[in-house]
Amino acid sequence: MILIKNGFINTVTNGSFKGDILVNDGKIEEIGESIQAPEECEIIDAEGKEIYPGFIDAHTHMGLWESGLGFEGADGNEETDPVTPHLNPIDAINPMDESFADAYKGGITSVCTTPGSANIIGGQCIAIKTFGKRIDKMIIKNPVAVKIAFGENPKSCYGQNEKSPQTRMAIAATLRETFKKAQDYMDEMNFYSESDENDVDKPEYDMKLESLIPVLRRRIPLKAHVHRADDIFTAIRIAKEFDLKLTLDHCTEGHLIVDELLEEKEDYPIIVGPSISDKSKPELRNLTFETAGILSNAGIPVSLMTDHPETPIQYLPICAGIAIKNGMKREEALKAVTINPAKTLGILDRVGSLEEGKDADIVIWYGNPFEISSNVECTIIDGKIVYRK
């Protein structure tokens, strides 16, 4: 049991005030202005410090591309088949990679780890905590989405080898073909389960199509790698055709189509980043740190991401700070690394704000976390102190 006392608490959902937080059995048991310390309780004096929920990175490749390694540590792209929805990062993430320590020392306690964007359908996405030795015990939700990709990445991966896709037309057509096959497969499975098994043959099991059933049933979204405006609209078009949930990740040209995205804001959440990056390919020519603020100020909820290792995970708070510098309101930047990604990833019941009953993922900061000179004093994940400066 831990009692954090006298800190300035930023709950995200219920305002900010000076007070105490009682942690018990991995959960936030009580938040108040003055809490009496139970017996045998460890007390942390946070006088002069700011307390926030652990930050959430909505799109990373943590543990799939390991720090300081080349091919030996690269496990995010299965570049032998452009359609691999059945792959899951749980079988490739290495929690021993130093990026995990970088994350929790930097105040990031939860991330979504996704396959890369070489394939049209890259695989499933997983939400995990950033502290642990065994990935099975770090899972918040698995899967949270299925990764799809548009534009230059799948084109460059396969087109240069004289394979499909070589064009954006082929990317879209492959998605349509795959989702239609998955729909037919799901219907056949449903018909079999509802019929007399003696009269109907069971359809042959297909792992790829089976993995898309949660998407077709709208239990999880597609997580779309989209930079250009036209790719954003193609992703939305296909999602509408099959009545699918969808998140728009990167959304690099989102600031150019604000009026159109406003029409879709309730249906297709936006995740912006990585913005600390060079314009390494043509579809990034309109990259700017103003995107998040322009979309947010228009009334569109935004999450921020590092795309680690593109931007190292520990710089997520700095990304928020630069977004603020470029027009994003501070309270919206805070939501963009807490409650917005929690909602988008479907893990709001556990993380994203400081509320009684939620996971005790708490970070004590010396200074404003969005200022480059600020430091994490203490990180608590699932009620356990995992870092003290």
Side-chain angles (χ1 to χ4, degrees):
M1 190 175 290
I2 300 171
L3 179 62
I4 306 170
K5 293 193 67 68
N6 307 316
F8 187 76
I9 302 170
N10 299 267
T11 68
V12 179
T13 51
N14 296 307
S16 304
F17 57 90
K18 185 174 182 179
D20 306 342
I21 302 177
L22 180 63
V23 172
N24 187 21
D25 196 25
K27 300 290 184 179
I28 297 172
E29 183 169 296
E30 185 179 355
I31 301 176
E33 293 185 359
S34 182
I35 300 173
Q36 185 68 32
E39 293 184 6
E40 299 182 1
C41 177
E42 180 176 357
I43 297 176
I44 299 175
D45 186 2
E47 182 72 43
K49 311 293 195 311
E50 296 195 26
I51 304 173
Y52 290 84
F55 290 165
I56 304 169
D57 194 324
H59 182 126
T60 77
H61 306 288
M62 274 187 65
L64 295 178
W65 274 273
E66 298 176 51
S67 301
L69 296 177
F71 173 80
E72 295 83 358
D75 286 299
N77 279 319
E78 180 59 43
E79 298 181 31
T80 58
D81 181 351
V83 179
T84 56
H86 56 310
L87 305 185
N88 193 290
I90 192 173
D91 300 311
I93 294 171
N94 180 10
M96 302 298 179
D97 182 60
E98 66 181 20
S99 63
F100 284 85
D102 290 339
Y104 63 72
K105 290 178 182 179
I108 297 93
T109 58
S110 302
V111 301
C112 176
T113 289
T114 86
S117 51
N119 292 346
I120 299 171
I121 306 180
Q124 298 159 40
C125 309
I126 181 173
I128 58 174
K129 299 293 179 75
T130 57
F131 178 82
K133 299 177 182 178
R134 184 175 180 175
I135 190 63
D136 309 74
K137 296 180 178 180
M138 299 161 66
I139 295 169
I140 308 172
K141 183 180 178 182
N142 183 26
V144 294
V146 168
K147 176 74 175 291
I148 62 174
F150 294 81
E152 292 179 37
N153 285 26
K155 281 181 59 178
S156 63
C157 177
Y158 291 94
Q160 65 184 354
N161 296 319
E162 298 301 318
K163 295 180 179 180
S164 181
Q166 295 187 12
T167 65
R168 284 176 163 82
M169 294 183 292
I171 292 170
T174 301
L175 285 169
R176 289 188 174 98
E177 180 183 32
T178 304
F179 290 134
K180 183 61 172 66
K181 287 180 179 178
Q183 279 184 336
D184 292 344
Y185 175 83
M186 181 177 68
D187 291 342
E188 291 172 4
M189 283 294 189
N190 289 341
F191 181 72
Y192 171 78
S193 64
E194 295 169 0
S195 64
D196 186 336
E197 295 181 6
N198 295 321
D199 297 333
V200 179
D201 292 333
K202 185 175 182 178
E204 184 177 352
Y205 176 75
D206 188 314
M207 190 177 184
K208 288 185 178 182
L209 301 181
E210 186 79 24
S211 66
L212 289 172
I213 289 178
V215 175
L216 293 172
R217 290 179 173 166
R218 295 179 59 86
R219 292 176 181 169
I220 58 174
L222 293 170
K223 194 171 184 63
H225 165 107
V226 281
H227 287 287
R228 274 182 17 181
D230 57 336
D231 289 330
I232 293 170
F233 293 138
T234 300
I236 292 173
R237 186 181 312 116
I238 293 173
K240 287 184 175 180
E241 288 174 19
F242 291 90
D243 189 27
L244 307 177
K245 290 184 176 180
L246 172 76
T247 69
L248 301 170
D249 294 41
H250 302 302
C251 208
T252 302
E253 294 188 352
H255 60 284
L256 303 179
I257 52 172
V258 178
D259 55 338
E260 298 292 339
L261 293 177
L262 273 170
E263 296 179 11
E264 316 286 357
K265 72 174 183 177
E266 301 299 328
D267 298 313
Y268 309 115
I270 291 174
I271 302 170
V272 174
S275 301
I276 302 180
S277 174
D278 64 342
K279 299 180 181 181
S280 57
K281 50 188 176 180
E283 64 186 10
L284 297 182
R285 62 187 178 276
N286 289 308
L287 178 70
T288 171
F289 253 109
E290 295 178 1
T291 303
I294 291 171
L295 294 171
S296 175
N297 293 337
I300 301 173
V302 171
S303 299
L304 295 176
M305 62 133 150
T306 61
D307 203 23
H308 177 91
E310 290 298 320
T311 298
I313 184 71
Q314 63 267 33
Y315 298 133
L316 179 64
I318 299 304
C319 292
I322 300 175
I324 294 168
K325 180 179 179 180
N326 285 271
M328 195 174 197
K329 294 182 175 62
R330 185 186 182 281
E331 59 271 23
E332 293 303 318
L334 176 58
K335 291 179 182 177
V337 293
T338 54
I339 198 158
N340 287 355
K343 288 178 181 176
T344 297
L345 298 173
I347 55 176
L348 183 60
D349 59 324
R350 292 187 56 183
V351 295
S353 60
L354 296 177
E355 298 181 58
E356 294 173 2
K358 284 195 171 184
D359 292 1
D361 292 358
I362 304 166
V363 181
I364 303 172
W365 287 82
Y366 185 75
N368 184 323
F370 303 142
E371 297 290 338
I372 195 168
S373 59
S374 298
N375 286 305
V376 171
E377 294 286 318
C378 178
T379 302
I380 298 170
I381 297 179
D382 290 326
K384 180 179 180 179
I385 298 172
V386 300
Y387 172 69
R388 270 182 167 158
K389 185 173 174 61

